[in-house]
Amino acid sequence: MGVTLTENAAKHVQNFLTKRGKGVGLRLGVRTSGCSGMAYKLEFADAAEDADLQFNSHGVTVLVDPQSLPYIDGMELDYTREGLNEGFKFNNPNVKDACGCGESFKV
């Protein structure tokens, strides 16, 4: 299945990479954290690692380490604006529970 971006998320990433002047795409993964156990890692990638899995979505390369893929396989990353707030929204079908603050999740 892999990881996909919505068109809005892809445009946001492409615009940021252009302003930044470098980068090959977006690195997405998970780490142990928070009250529910797992948290997302999201950063702009300057280079792909040898073990990275690569997915292309709306012209953006999404890099995922093999250890994170089971937790985020099938996820869609969106970029939304709600009132004065804007940011990435993780639509992950694997999530079974999330903490109240929205920082961590459990699969």
Side-chain angles (χ1 to χ4, degrees):
M1 288 173 74
V3 177
T4 60
L5 304 177
T6 64
E7 194 172 333
N8 280 342
K11 284 179 184 177
H12 182 76
V13 171
Q14 287 170 334
N15 288 339
F16 192 86
L17 289 172
T18 299
K19 288 178 187 174
R20 203 170 165 246
K22 63 179 180 175
V24 297
L26 187 67
R27 182 177 305 284
L28 183 60
V30 296
R31 60 182 167 85
T32 303
S33 178
C35 46
S36 291
M38 308 292 289
Y40 297 109
K41 297 187 300 185
L42 183 66
E43 62 188 10
F44 294 97
D46 291 332
E49 303 291 329
D50 289 338
D52 282 339
L53 302 166
Q54 296 187 30
F55 305 98
N56 194 309
S57 186
H58 296 284
V60 173
T61 300
V62 180
L63 305 169
V64 178
D65 65 272
Q67 295 80 17
S68 294
L69 187 61
Y71 302 103
I72 60 175
D73 195 24
M75 185 172 79
E76 179 187 64
L77 186 63
D78 194 8
Y79 191 83
T80 61
R81 287 189 176 144
E82 296 173 4
L84 298 175
N85 298 320
E86 64 182 286
F88 287 106
K89 181 178 178 185
F90 302 89
N91 299 315
N92 187 345
N94 304 302
V95 171
K96 303 292 184 232
D97 194 18
C99 69
C101 66
E103 287 295 315
S104 62
F105 65 96
K106 185 183 338 181
V107 292

